[in-house]
């Protein structure tokens, strides 16, 4: 596959051409660079990210379960650039069920009573469906709910309830109408409908077009997934984003997917995924094609079986210049062996940190250190178990 950029002097626009001897141009849902597109997918129930563990996030539950951990208390000490301990030290207490899933989280300043807490609930399908935020006295501050058991035209309903019992936010996602090939999503705030999205699909269920309407029923924006054979034109289109994609296969069955989204300003964003024959992502990148700026990229390394991840790296850029970088090495069980984090200033390395763990006889972490390149501590976290 070749990706070509050419200048059309007459119209002062760019034309992106996706050409190949054999490839399939099709329209489907990608990542438009518009916050309004994703507003209906708003949700906030996750709990697994709150306790740092030497294992990938998707391995945390099994990691906790295998070690029969019921509760972890962590005390975190941070240091300034000179290695001097900061005055405030904080603790967190995380409780887990028998499946290794977090069911409670509380914390505050070390030596002080708990100042905040959260509780997490799961349905019969192991999906998190509710989280409750509490203050230090145990009074409910906010409740977030995922309703998976909706009927009729709505298949998913997320809503937030404040301490007064008022529903402050709702996101409703509609079921696909298999006859009309459409679905409708809704976003409510403080009980009032703010936005409505009408989605159109092709018979193969890929997206054709999405139109969003404001609270007055006026069309506000269009995301067009209908690609022409010659690609997508980089011209300004009022209140419209155009999205195209292509897919190619290499001799070793590696799949390369290229997604181009052009926003209403005529700015193109390109996303590239490279996956192996098992569907595992090997590389990902996102770039601003108008400016020629890289935005972020990542790489994933797998063992000979092509399925077991043994390392990964992430890099982020500002106006095409790298700002941060993470390089992580894993063992076959998914445990983090080493993680190096780098920060850059104007593209020049400014600081580098290394994360290390120490373990008890039950192979549970008891100490986590984040050290600068010269060995000066940046963070130290102690673990205790009940």
């Amino acid at each position: 596959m070749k990706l070509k950029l050419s200048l059309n002097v007459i119209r002062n626009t760019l034309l992106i051409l996706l050409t190949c001897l054999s490839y399939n141009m099709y329209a489907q849902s990608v990542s438009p660079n518009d916050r309004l597109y994703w507003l209906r997918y708003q949700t906030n129930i996750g709990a697994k990210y709150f306790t740092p563990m030497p294992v990938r996030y998707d391995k945390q539950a099994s990691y906790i379960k295998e070690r029969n951990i019921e509760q972890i208390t962590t005390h975190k000490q941070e240091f300034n650039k000179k290695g001097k301990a900061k005055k405030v030290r904080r603790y967190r207490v995380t409780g887990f069920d028998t499946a290794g899933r977090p069911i409670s989280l509380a914390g505050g300043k070390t030596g002080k009573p708990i100042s905040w807490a959260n509780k997490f609930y799961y349905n019969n399908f192991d999906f998190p469906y509710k989280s409750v935020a509490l203050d230090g006295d145990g009074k409910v501050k906010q409740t977030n709910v995922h309703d998976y058991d909706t009927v009729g035209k709505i298949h998913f309903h997320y809503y937030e309830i404040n301490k007064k019992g008022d529903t402050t936010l709702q996101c409703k996602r509609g079921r696909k109408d298999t006859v009309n090939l459409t679905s409708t999503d809704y976003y409510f705030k403080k009980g009032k409908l703010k936005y409505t999205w009408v989605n159109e699909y092709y018979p193969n269920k890929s997206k054709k077009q999405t139109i969003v309407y404001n609270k007055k029923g006026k069309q506000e924006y269009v995301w067009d997934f209908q690609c022409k054979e010659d690609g997508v034109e980089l011209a300004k289109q009022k209140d419209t984003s155009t999205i195209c994609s292509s897919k190619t296969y290499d001799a070793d069955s590696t799949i390369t997917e290229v997604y181009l989204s052009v926003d209403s300003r005529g700015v193109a964003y390109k996303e590239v995924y490279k996956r192996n024959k098992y569907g595992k992502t090997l590389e990902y990148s996102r770039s601003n094609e108008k400016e020629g700026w890289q935005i972020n990229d990542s790489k994933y390394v797998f063992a000979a079986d092509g399925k077991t991840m043994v390392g990964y790296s992430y890099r982020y850029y500002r106006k095409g210049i790298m700002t941060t970088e993470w390089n992580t090495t894993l063992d076959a069980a998914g445990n983090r062996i080493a993680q190096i984090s780098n920060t850059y200033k104007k593209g020049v390395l400014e600081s580098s940190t290394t994360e290390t763990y120490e373990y008890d006889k039950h192979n549970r972490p008891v100490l986590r250190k984040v050290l600068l390149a010269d060995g000066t501590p940046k963070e130290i976290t102690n673990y205790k178990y009940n």
Side-chain angles (χ1 to χ4, degrees):
M1 182 193 71
K2 297 179 180 179
L3 183 66
K4 297 182 179 179
L5 298 178
S6 60
L7 180 64
N8 184 327
V9 178
I10 298 175
R11 301 185 58 186
N12 195 26
T13 62
L14 292 173
L15 183 65
I16 289 183
L17 298 177
L18 292 174
T19 60
C20 183
L21 292 177
S22 176
Y23 81 98
N24 179 30
M25 175 72 79
Y26 57 99
Q28 70 172 45
S29 180
V30 294
S31 302
N33 195 46
D34 298 283
R35 177 180 175 275
L36 187 57
Y37 183 88
W38 299 106
L39 189 61
R40 56 192 156 153
Y41 298 106
Q42 187 169 336
T43 179
N44 184 20
I45 286 193
K48 62 184 179 182
Y49 303 102
F50 298 148
T51 303
M53 300 295 289
V55 67
R56 294 201 320 266
Y57 293 134
D58 60 337
K59 297 284 187 179
Q60 282 192 1
S62 58
Y63 187 90
I64 297 296
K65 180 180 179 180
E66 290 168 1
R67 288 158 179 76
N68 297 313
I69 297 174
E70 297 179 357
Q71 182 174 290
I72 299 176
T73 301
T74 61
H75 290 267
K76 181 179 178 180
Q77 176 68 67
E78 295 181 323
F79 300 80
N80 62 22
K81 293 182 179 180
K82 296 182 180 180
K84 184 178 179 180
K86 295 182 179 181
K87 292 183 179 180
V88 178
R89 192 180 180 211
R90 301 184 184 278
Y91 70 93
R92 288 186 174 185
V93 182
T94 309
F96 303 90
D97 62 14
T98 55
R101 303 172 303 191
I103 55 175
S104 63
L105 176 68
K109 296 179 181 179
T110 298
K112 301 289 185 179
I114 288 173
S115 59
W116 57 270
N118 293 92
K119 292 184 179 181
F120 308 97
Y121 302 85
Y122 302 83
N123 63 17
N124 294 332
F125 300 99
D126 294 333
F127 294 131
Y129 80 91
K130 183 170 71 171
S131 68
V132 180
L134 311 167
D135 62 20
D137 296 323
K139 296 179 180 179
V140 175
K141 294 170 59 180
Q142 181 169 306
T143 301
N144 300 340
V145 181
H146 281 172
D147 184 359
Y148 298 92
D149 301 320
T150 54
V151 295
K153 294 183 178 181
I154 302 299
H155 80 93
F156 181 84
H157 183 198
Y158 170 76
Y159 54 97
E160 298 177 357
I161 303 172
N162 64 16
K163 60 183 179 182
K164 296 180 180 180
D166 299 326
T167 300
T168 56
L169 183 148
Q170 293 187 73
C171 297
K172 296 182 178 182
R173 300 180 212 162
R175 297 183 193 277
K176 289 182 183 178
D177 185 320
T178 56
V179 177
N180 297 321
L181 298 177
T182 60
S183 68
T184 306
D185 306 320
Y186 307 91
Y187 177 81
F188 298 81
K189 198 163 186 179
K190 296 182 179 180
K192 296 181 179 180
L193 178 64
K194 294 293 184 180
Y195 295 104
T196 302
W197 292 260
V198 177
N199 309 293
E200 297 180 30
Y201 302 89
Y202 289 102
N204 66 359
K205 297 182 181 180
S206 64
K207 269 201 181 146
K208 184 177 182 181
Q209 182 176 261
T210 295
I211 302 175
V212 63
Y213 299 88
N214 62 23
K215 60 183 179 181
K216 296 181 179 180
K218 182 180 178 180
Q219 179 176 307
E220 187 149 326
Y221 208 88
V222 178
W223 291 271
D224 188 358
F225 298 86
Q226 303 173 79
C227 293
K228 299 177 181 179
E229 288 299 321
D230 60 352
V232 55
E233 189 177 36
L234 289 184
K236 292 183 178 180
Q237 302 177 76
K238 181 177 172 59
D239 301 331
T240 302
S241 282
T242 305
I243 301 96
C244 288
S245 61
S246 68
K247 183 184 292 186
T248 59
Y249 297 84
D250 296 339
D252 62 354
S253 298
T254 299
I255 302 172
T256 300
E257 299 173 22
V258 179
Y259 300 90
L260 295 170
S261 59
V262 183
D263 66 14
S264 59
R265 301 166 298 169
V267 179
Y269 294 88
K270 181 175 74 173
E271 290 181 290
V272 180
Y273 292 86
K274 184 172 286 188
R275 312 180 198 276
N276 65 17
K277 62 183 179 181
Y278 301 105
K280 302 294 185 180
T281 300
L282 301 174
E283 297 178 12
Y284 167 79
S285 66
R286 179 173 172 79
S287 58
N288 179 323
E289 292 297 284
K290 180 179 180 180
E291 302 292 346
W293 291 338
Q294 191 77 350
I295 298 174
N296 62 281
D297 57 54
S298 56
K299 294 184 178 181
Y300 306 87
V301 181
F302 293 86
D305 63 3
K307 300 178 182 179
T308 304
M309 186 184 296
V310 295
Y312 55 87
S313 62
Y314 301 105
R315 294 186 296 185
Y316 295 87
Y317 305 78
R318 178 177 174 79
K319 294 185 177 180
I321 300 175
M322 192 188 309
T323 57
T324 53
E325 176 185 29
W326 287 269
N327 294 287
T328 304
T329 304
L330 309 170
D331 63 18
N335 297 318
R336 218 162 30 228
I337 299 173
Q339 179 168 278
I340 299 174
S341 304
N342 299 324
T343 58
Y344 297 82
K345 187 175 183 179
K346 295 182 179 180
V348 178
L349 181 64
E350 182 179 37
S351 66
S352 180
T353 62
T354 301
E355 177 192 70
T356 63
Y357 282 87
E358 294 181 13
Y359 302 85
D360 63 14
K361 63 181 181 181
H362 301 293
N363 196 27
R364 303 176 303 187
V366 292
L367 183 67
R368 172 181 176 263
K369 293 182 180 180
V370 179
L371 307 175
L372 297 174
D374 62 0
T376 302
K378 184 179 181 181
E379 294 178 14
I380 293 180
T381 304
N382 294 280
Y383 297 72
K384 292 185 178 181
Y385 301 89
N386 290 2

